[in-house]
Amino acid sequence: NRMADLVQHPNQLMFTDEASRDRRTQQRKFGYALKGRRCTVRRHFVCSSRITILPVLTLEGIITYDLIPGPVNSERFLQFLRELVIPLTNPYPGP
């Protein structure tokens, strides 16, 4: 309800989130075993680089994104906003 008071139409909203991916993303951290038996998992050690994606989502879908090798800090996130997001915006109260 508070957002409805601030925004005249949903097309004024933009959402962003950080997601990352590397070769270890799909490795399980937990497993199942018979009662009284220890769960063991055999896997190969993988040392790979992490890639972070910063997408911006609106009612029209993903309008821009940035793929960044490694983690994202606040300085890099602000650079993403200045270079890729702000140019796509309009003055309030426009969409």
Side-chain angles (χ1 to χ4, degrees), residues 27 64 66 82:
Q27 290 183 357
T64 190
D66 197 7
R82 279 191 294 268

Side-chain angles (χ1 to χ4, degrees), residues 21-29 43-50:
R21 170 83 166 102
D22 64 12
R23 288 186 177 193
R24 295 173 293 169
T25 300
Q26 295 178 351
Q27 290 183 357
R28 295 177 182 239
K29 295 181 180 157
R43 57 181 157 194
H44 298 285
F45 177 75
V46 177
C47 185
S48 63
S49 61
R50 174 177 291 237

Side-chain angles (χ1 to χ4, degrees), residues 5-25:
D5 293 338
L6 297 172
V7 178
Q8 297 173 359
H9 195 272
N11 67 358
Q12 293 177 314
L13 298 174
M14 300 170 87
F15 300 94
T16 186
D17 194 12
E18 174 186 7
S20 63
R21 170 83 166 102
D22 64 12
R23 288 186 177 193
R24 295 173 293 169
T25 300

Side-chain angles (χ1 to χ4, degrees), residues 78-90:
L78 290 174
Q79 179 185 357
F80 164 71
L81 292 177
R82 279 191 294 268
E83 293 177 3
L84 296 174
V85 179
I86 298 299
L88 300 175
T89 61
N90 296 319

Side-chain angles (χ1 to χ4, degrees), residues 41-83:
V41 177
R42 295 175 194 246
R43 57 181 157 194
H44 298 285
F45 177 75
V46 177
C47 185
S48 63
S49 61
R50 174 177 291 237
I51 295 177
T52 304
I53 182 171
L54 293 172
V56 175
L57 183 69
T58 66
L59 289 177
E60 298 163 359
I62 295 176
I63 59 171
T64 190
Y65 65 91
D66 197 7
L67 295 173
I68 302 160
V72 173
N73 57 19
S74 59
E75 181 180 319
R76 183 65 181 97
F77 183 72
L78 290 174
Q79 179 185 357
F80 164 71
L81 292 177
R82 279 191 294 268
E83 293 177 3

